[in-house]
Amino acid sequence: MILVTGGAGFIGANFVLDWIAQGNEEPVLNVDKLTYAGNLETLASLKDNKAHVFVQGDIGESALLDRLLAEHQPRAVVNFAAESHVDRSIHGPEDFVQTNVVGTFRLLESVRGYWSALPQDKKAAFRFLHVSTDEVYGTLSKDDPAFTEENQYEPNSPYSASKAASDHLVRAWHHTYGLPVLTTNCSNNYGPYHFPEKLIPLMIVNALAGKPLPVYGDGMQVRDWLYVKDHCSAIRRVLEAGRLGETYNVGGWNEKPNIEIVKTVCALLDQLKPRADGMPYAEQITYVTDRPGHDRRYAIDARKLERELGWKPAETFETGIRKTVEWYLANGEWVRNVQSGAYRDWIGKQYGADEAKA
């Protein structure tokens, strides 16, 4: 068995679904706190599947983790559990420190206690894989080379600072205690089951609802975009063959400015679900005040992962974004069910009251 934390969130749930779909004989013990972005409906297809055991819980609950580790004896832990939205971290940084820093510390301590008591063969085979972000490296200028694993950490938001702290804890637990860890730092993910506060799903949902499409500043913030299923395959590969104590950057080789992303989504919707009035969705684009400390550019150099482990993304941005838009068009019920009152309140707070109106 493997233990997955945060396995009801966007990337974690995709990983769990893909892991089981791959026909892996190892079942998944899935522990998720089920905050606003954790959604069991994403995992509905696994409801009666004995390969998936779900437990609602917090990685900060040491007693729960100790019990689950002792009971289920996982041979690996994959840690997705995190608060992950920069905008939310600006408004409420304490939750990010509690989950991403304190929670990771407590998870590491529970895992260390469990791992230390394993028989030597199981101890040697055990892995702790920590899933992190490219945002820990800070921001790049237009002509800077992409982030490699050797870049120094320069986090600029409460979110990225909390993730940087968690990365350092994982590294320290390896060097001090010998815990067999692996770390992945990924670029911006997109794809099915993405909570609609992030750029791509927000644009799709707002466009279909006839709402404004809010773009920060001039829209020229550049990100590298990684299809979530490619990210899942990279994590499986690192878990399988990554060198202990190493960090692997995971990227899609798709650097694009935000406004280009928004216009691409609009163009796909024009093809796949035209507006009733025949007008292009792009006319709904509206520019809003940029968020504080907005990093200008992220870019991932994923050559180490390709060189050492033979991994490359399967999707181009063009194929991945089409699959994503098609998924949202085909899964309107899932979208409606995640748009709770709390979500609408958040959108209103972040982008203005008009965005929250149905």
Side-chain angles (χ1 to χ4, degrees), residues 204 208 268-269 272-273 324-332 335:
I204 297 170
L208 294 173
L268 282 167
L269 288 172
L272 299 170
K273 194 175 178 61
T324 301
V325 172
E326 288 174 343
W327 186 90
Y328 278 88
L329 289 174
N331 289 274
V335 174

Side-chain angles (χ1 to χ4, degrees), residues 210-231:
K211 297 179 182 178
L213 307 181
V215 175
Y216 281 136
D218 61 3
M220 293 304 294
Q221 304 87 358
V222 174
R223 301 292 183 262
D224 172 43
W225 292 91
L226 173 66
Y227 190 61
V228 66
K229 293 183 183 297
D230 280 333
H231 187 195

Side-chain angles (χ1 to χ4, degrees), residues 236-303:
R236 290 196 302 273
R237 182 62 184 142
V238 172
L239 186 63
E240 177 185 44
R243 287 187 291 131
L244 290 185
E246 290 293 312
T247 294
Y248 294 91
N249 283 352
V250 188
W253 301 105
N254 290 306
E255 276 191 71
K256 296 183 183 297
N258 286 347
I259 188 61
E260 182 180 333
I261 300 297
V262 174
K263 289 180 177 178
T264 299
V265 168
C266 289
L268 282 167
L269 288 172
D270 288 339
Q271 294 175 29
L272 299 170
K273 194 175 178 61
R275 278 176 38 164
D277 62 4
M279 297 296 292
Y281 284 99
E283 76 159 18
Q284 294 168 227
I285 294 172
T286 181
Y287 293 89
V288 299
T289 304
D290 210 350
R291 73 183 178 208
H294 200 170
D295 288 340
R296 194 64 173 170
R297 174 177 170 244
Y298 306 140
I300 280 283
D301 183 333
R303 284 179 293 181

Side-chain angles (χ1 to χ4, degrees), residues 11-81:
I11 303 174
N14 271 284
F15 178 82
V16 170
L17 290 167
D18 278 9
W19 180 272
I20 292 173
Q22 294 290 321
N24 285 296
E25 294 182 3
E26 293 171 300
V28 174
L29 172 61
N30 183 352
V31 178
D32 195 292
K33 188 178 178 180
L34 293 183
T35 59
Y36 74 95
N39 184 5
L40 283 181
E41 190 173 349
T42 301
L43 301 166
S45 64
L46 303 178
K47 184 177 179 182
D48 298 316
N49 193 322
K50 293 180 180 179
H52 180 242
V53 178
F54 180 80
V55 176
Q56 184 173 355
D58 188 335
I59 59 171
E61 295 179 54
S62 299
L64 173 65
L65 289 169
D66 292 345
R67 178 177 65 78
L68 291 173
L69 288 164
E71 179 182 343
H72 293 278
Q73 298 280 302
R75 63 97 177 170
V77 174
V78 184
N79 180 34
F80 293 97

Side-chain angles (χ1 to χ4, degrees), residues 70-356:
E71 179 182 343
H72 293 278
Q73 298 280 302
R75 63 97 177 170
V77 174
V78 184
N79 180 34
F80 293 97
E83 294 283 348
S84 66
H85 192 206
V86 174
D87 292 340
R88 286 180 183 267
S89 81
I90 293 169
H91 288 290
E94 185 170 351
D95 287 345
F96 288 72
V97 172
Q98 284 299 321
T99 297
N100 299 353
V101 184
V102 178
T104 300
F105 159 70
R106 290 183 177 156
L107 175 62
L108 283 166
E109 280 293 85
S110 289
V111 170
R112 180 168 72 93
Y114 163 72
W115 168 77
S116 297
L118 288 173
Q120 196 56 44
D121 59 335
K122 291 186 177 180
K123 192 174 182 181
F126 184 82
R127 296 292 184 268
F128 180 97
L129 194 155
H130 176 64
V131 180
S132 191
T133 172
D134 59 359
E135 297 190 37
V136 299
Y137 299 123
T139 188
L140 294 169
S141 67
K142 181 179 178 181
D143 298 320
D144 285 338
F147 296 130
T148 73
E149 292 81 359
E150 304 305 316
N151 272 75
Q152 108 179 16
Y153 276 31
E154 295 181 338
N156 290 322
S157 70
Y159 161 61
S160 58
S162 68
K163 286 298 289 184
S166 71
D167 292 7
H168 290 319
L169 289 173
V170 171
R171 175 186 170 87
W173 260 240
H174 174 66
H175 285 272
T176 301
Y177 303 113
L179 189 69
V181 307
L182 300 153
T183 298
T184 56
N185 293 86
C186 70
S187 57
N188 279 36
N189 280 222
Y190 68 99
Y193 303 110
H194 205 175
F195 190 76
E197 67 183 356
K198 302 293 181 77
L199 179 66
I200 289 174
L202 179 64
M203 293 304 113
I204 297 170
V205 169
N206 275 17
L208 294 173
K211 297 179 182 178
L213 307 181
V215 175
Y216 281 136
D218 61 3
M220 293 304 294
Q221 304 87 358
V222 174
R223 301 292 183 262
D224 172 43
W225 292 91
L226 173 66
Y227 190 61
V228 66
K229 293 183 183 297
D230 280 333
H231 187 195
C232 294
S233 72
I235 292 169
R236 290 196 302 273
R237 182 62 184 142
V238 172
L239 186 63
E240 177 185 44
R243 287 187 291 131
L244 290 185
E246 290 293 312
T247 294
Y248 294 91
N249 283 352
V250 188
W253 301 105
N254 290 306
E255 276 191 71
K256 296 183 183 297
N258 286 347
I259 188 61
E260 182 180 333
I261 300 297
V262 174
K263 289 180 177 178
T264 299
V265 168
C266 289
L268 282 167
L269 288 172
D270 288 339
Q271 294 175 29
L272 299 170
K273 194 175 178 61
R275 278 176 38 164
D277 62 4
M279 297 296 292
Y281 284 99
E283 76 159 18
Q284 294 168 227
I285 294 172
T286 181
Y287 293 89
V288 299
T289 304
D290 210 350
R291 73 183 178 208
H294 200 170
D295 288 340
R296 194 64 173 170
R297 174 177 170 244
Y298 306 140
I300 280 283
D301 183 333
R303 284 179 293 181
K304 177 181 175 180
L305 182 54
E306 181 177 353
R307 182 177 64 251
E308 292 192 10
L309 303 181
W311 178 89
K312 289 194 295 186
E315 300 290 345
T316 65
F317 184 74
E318 289 70 27
T319 60
I321 192 65
R322 176 174 283 273
K323 288 181 179 180
T324 301
V325 172
E326 288 174 343
W327 186 90
Y328 278 88
L329 289 174
N331 289 274
E333 185 177 0
W334 182 92
V335 174
R336 287 188 293 274
N337 289 345
V338 300
Q339 290 181 288
S340 67
Y343 165 71
R344 289 194 298 273
D345 290 346
W346 159 253
I347 293 296
K349 179 180 181 182
Q350 186 61 23
Y351 296 110
D354 288 344
E355 307 305 327

